[in-house]
Amino acid sequence: MTTTKLLSSDLDGTLIFDRAISGDTIAAIDAWQNAGHLAVCATGKSIAATKHALRPSNLEFDFYVLYTGAVITDKDYNILMSTTLPTELVVEIVGRLSGEPGMGVFATTLDTNDVRLASTIPPELTTDIVQYFDPMPISDIRNHTFVGIPLWINAGAATEDSIARIHAWIRDQYGDVVDCHRNQDFLDIVPANCTKRTGLEWLMSHLRDTTSATYETYSLGDSWNDIDMHQWADHSVSFPHSPVEIQQLTESVATTAASYIHEVLAQ
């Protein structure tokens, strides 16, 4: 029986740095796919944000695990599976967080650009994680279907304390209906039981139903929202800039994604 290698990779802090993907990384993923292996993008980004982030590089993946596992698409971004948030829950959470100091409240849908619903962060500050969004009034929430609520927390010296406090509040108030994952200075609220791991497990079931191959799995990821993906993979990789906690739980710590991919291909 054929064994196919499947590489699942995060984007920000793994492949994307300073809003760009290096030529070395693009060449490594191309070499991986040309060798007959699968490359999967696993990110908290939405469909629109992923397209925007990858467009300058022309990099194409075989599948996409998006919105931290809530949506799976094929290589052309056709949706294979999706899970969404109840609209009234979005209204409630956004209403309660919209005045929080040092916070930008964003949201993701299946059919629009990412949106910003509220922000108390000075407008001159920007983030590499959410680069492309449209403003949307909170009153317009009920006209759309939402998948996630990314929260950008930038409160200066109080940022870490704010992240911990808000993360705990979300778990305490809504832990039975949503998951909340940390990525750098973001908290991503997604439907319950949605992680990169659950998305990848769904994808693996889909592949087993549609192909006769067996799979050896690899994960590349730098941050906390990659933990579930690393636990799922046969081989997990973090990086020197990853938090120590992440480095300690992965099988390897690689200098770059490109160097690790070439190392596996050379085996």
Side-chain angles (χ1 to χ4, degrees):
M1 184 175 292
T2 304
T3 298
T4 300
K5 291 181 169 63
L6 185 151
L7 176 74
S8 176
S9 180
D10 174 51
L11 288 180
D12 294 305
T14 297
L15 303 184
I16 298 177
F17 296 91
D18 298 324
R19 305 192 178 194
I21 302 176
S22 72
D24 288 346
T25 299
I26 296 168
I29 295 175
D30 285 345
W32 179 270
Q33 292 171 310
N34 289 337
H37 306 311
L38 294 180
V40 177
C41 172
T43 177
K45 292 182 182 295
S46 65
I47 292 173
T50 301
K51 288 180 178 179
H52 178 74
L54 295 180
R55 189 174 294 120
S57 69
N58 292 318
L59 185 60
E60 297 181 350
F61 288 84
D62 298 290
F63 293 95
Y64 297 85
V65 175
L66 305 174
Y67 307 82
T68 317
V71 175
I72 315 297
T73 79
D74 65 13
K75 64 183 180 63
D76 297 315
Y77 295 97
N78 297 308
I79 296 172
L80 303 176
M81 182 278 288
S82 65
T83 305
T84 59
L85 292 167
T87 300
E88 292 306 314
L89 179 67
V90 176
V91 171
E92 179 178 336
I93 292 176
V94 171
R96 296 181 70 171
L97 291 176
S98 60
E100 177 73 28
M103 176 180 288
V105 181
F106 297 86
T108 58
T109 77
L110 287 176
D111 59 352
T112 71
N113 294 332
D114 294 352
V115 300
R116 187 177 68 188
L117 296 164
S119 179
T120 56
I121 297 174
E124 65 270 17
L125 298 180
T126 60
T127 171
D128 286 346
I129 292 182
V130 179
Q131 305 172 25
Y132 183 66
F133 59 86
D134 296 324
M136 177 184 288
I138 292 176
S139 60
D140 201 26
I141 289 176
R142 289 185 176 88
N143 296 323
H144 300 274
T145 300
F146 292 88
V147 182
I149 307 173
L151 305 173
W152 177 31
I153 302 171
N154 189 335
T159 295
E160 285 298 320
D161 288 343
S162 294
I163 289 172
R165 173 176 55 82
I166 295 166
H167 198 180
W169 177 80
I170 292 167
R171 289 198 308 265
D172 291 344
Q173 294 292 314
Y174 303 103
D176 57 335
V177 288
V178 303
D179 280 339
C180 185
H181 307 288
R182 180 175 179 182
N183 179 24
Q184 300 179 34
D185 51 2
F186 268 76
L187 293 174
D188 290 326
I189 301 173
V190 294
N193 302 314
C194 287
T195 66
K196 291 185 180 183
R197 177 177 188 147
T198 63
L200 287 161
E201 288 175 340
W202 187 95
L203 177 59
M204 290 302 299
S205 177
H206 172 75
L207 289 172
R208 292 189 183 102
D209 288 342
T210 55
T211 72
S212 58
T214 58
Y215 295 89
E216 184 176 11
T217 55
Y218 297 77
S219 64
L220 301 177
D222 71 301
S223 196
W224 290 277
N225 68 340
D226 299 310
I227 290 175
D228 294 280
M229 175 174 70
H230 289 321
Q231 292 172 338
W232 162 84
D234 297 320
H235 309 283
S236 56
V237 182
S238 58
F239 304 95
H241 60 271
S242 297
V244 173
E245 172 190 359
I246 310 303
Q247 294 185 44
Q248 290 175 340
L249 62 82
T250 55
E251 179 182 79
S252 305
V253 178
T255 305
T256 65
S259 65
Y260 181 78
I261 291 169
H262 286 303
E263 178 184 325
V264 174
L265 289 174
Q267 293 174 357

